[in-house]
Amino acid sequence: MAGAFWCIVEDDRKGMPKKVMAEVLGEAGRLGGPVEAVWLVDKATDDGLKHLGEWGAAKVWLVENPALAAYQGEVWVPVLAELAAKETPKAILAPVTSRQRELMARLAARLDVGLSADSVGLAMDGDRLVATRPVYAGKLLSKVTWAGQPWLATLRPNVFRPAEAQAGRTAAVERPGVAVPAGVTKLVERREEAATGLPELTEAEIVISGGRGMKGPENYVILEDMARVIGAAVGASRAAVDAGWRPHRFQIGQTGRTISPKLYMGFGVSGAIQHLAGMRTSKVIVAVNKDAEAPIFKIADYGIVGDLFEVVPALTEELKRLMDR
Ligand SMILES: Cc1cc2nc3c(=O)[nH]c(=O)nc-3n(C[C@H](O)[C@H](O)[C@H](O)COP(=O)(O)OP(=O)(O)OC[C@H]3O[C@@H](n4cnc5c(N)ncnc54)[C@H](O)[C@@H]3O)c2cc1C
């Protein structure tokens, strides 16, 4: 409906919205709504639609088309732009993910409106929206507002309070008649990553990160052991990624992922400004480094000056004991 807060659905490409959508939908509700989800997908599931309704979407604009199986900007952006032009939402919100970062930037350009990327706060000031977003690699927070509507913003995961699912609340599903253009790129190969059994980096409530101090790829197993005990994701610094120890999707920082978990634990990470840019909004920061002067200690809530190869196994044992209680 005109004047609604739209939330672009990030899903697992198997027909289920990701849990970060509870945060986006929850925030749209707190800003005053009306809250609507927009879901571009090849095949939605009833369970997925149920989740969106329970998280507060009054309506789901569902565009189901085989051409939407994989993300292609040149296919998705015209669909959203056409729908937005017809329905005139007040705001379009999406979580910060690799796909949505690109999609929302392209959509902003197409609609000729502003985008607050990586927002960590949103608030209504009278009848305008004001977003808070980090600048200068997270050293400063700036407040921005929009000259025109719709207001486009991507929301950093784990920052906004998720909507409480309300059983029985359902969303009306509307299938708009919009043209889905043909893509100009072709999917040549799709490789599914082997499941690690660990949560996804940007969604995890606890992140354990290993830097150059890990000494080699074979040693990440000790971080994975700890991660399994406490249900954490394992990330890395760029030094570790550049050395080929971890794939790039695990890189935390300015040129990697931005995370905001409840707990971040860095092992053998020095705390370079570019790394901090990706994790400094973590609620609690723990650092383990054998150098007492390592910059990461300046932002850490708790620190251990010591050899990670002694600290990690001892900590894992202690955590096991606590979790078994
Ligand atoms: C444009 C640009 C973008 C960048 N983007 C990113 C980014 O997105 N993410 C990122 O991380 N970096 C990024 N960097 C790189 C960044 O500047 C640092 O070089 C990098 O973060 C360092 O990684 P590190 O902390 O693992 O390694 P180092 O700085 O080498 O630190 C290793 C630490 O491990 C400690 N250590 C060694 N052995 C042990 C042990 N046994 N026990 C305990 N501690 C030990 C050392 O004391 C040291 O503090 C970027 C740089 C540039 C120029």
Side-chain angles (χ1 to χ4, degrees), residues 128-149:
R128 56 180 201 154
L129 182 64
V130 177
T132 306
R133 55 182 304 269
V135 290
Y136 298 115
K139 285 211 144 181
L140 291 176
L141 291 174
S142 73
K143 284 195 189 294
V144 295
T145 192
W146 286 258
Q149 283 186 358

Side-chain angles (χ1 to χ4, degrees), residues 149-308:
Q149 283 186 358
W151 309 315
L152 264 61
T154 54
L155 282 62
R156 187 179 284 195
N158 280 325
V159 170
F160 296 87
R161 190 154 42 88
E164 303 242 344
Q166 281 186 28
R169 187 163 61 180
T170 54
V173 178
E174 183 143 348
R175 297 169 184 269
V178 280
V180 179
V184 292
T185 52
K186 196 171 118 207
L187 184 67
V188 180
E189 189 189 351
R190 186 188 171 92
R191 277 192 230 160
E192 291 272 339
E193 291 289 339
T196 59
L198 300 175
E200 214 267 314
L201 187 60
T202 51
E203 293 200 342
E205 294 193 340
I206 307 176
V207 172
I208 296 172
S209 165
R212 206 195 314 254
M214 293 304 297
K215 309 266 192 277
E218 66 285 0
N219 294 326
Y220 276 80
V221 67
I222 62 171
L223 299 187
E224 283 159 4
D225 284 348
M226 185 192 287
R228 265 181 217 102
V229 174
I230 51 175
V234 177
S237 70
R238 176 159 162 181
V241 170
D242 284 353
W245 301 349
R246 305 296 281 176
H248 179 260
R249 69 179 188 284
F250 295 121
Q251 182 181 316
I252 297 164
Q254 191 181 316
T255 43
R257 301 291 187 100
T258 304
I259 57 165
S260 199
K262 287 188 179 152
L263 174 62
Y264 165 98
M265 294 198 271
F267 295 93
V269 174
S270 61
I273 178 80
Q274 298 89 354
H275 188 79
L276 303 188
M279 46 62 72
R280 70 184 321 149
T281 51
S282 307
K283 316 286 176 302
V284 176
I285 296 172
V286 175
V288 177
N289 197 305
K290 65 180 186 186
D291 174 10
E293 301 300 320
I296 196 153
F297 287 127
K298 290 205 176 78
I299 63 151
D301 299 284
Y302 301 94
I304 299 176
V305 178
D307 184 340
L308 72 91

Side-chain angles (χ1 to χ4, degrees), residues 21 29 68 76 143 184 215 318:
M21 288 314 297
L68 300 169
W76 288 44
K143 284 195 189 294
V184 292
K215 309 266 192 277
E318 194 59 26

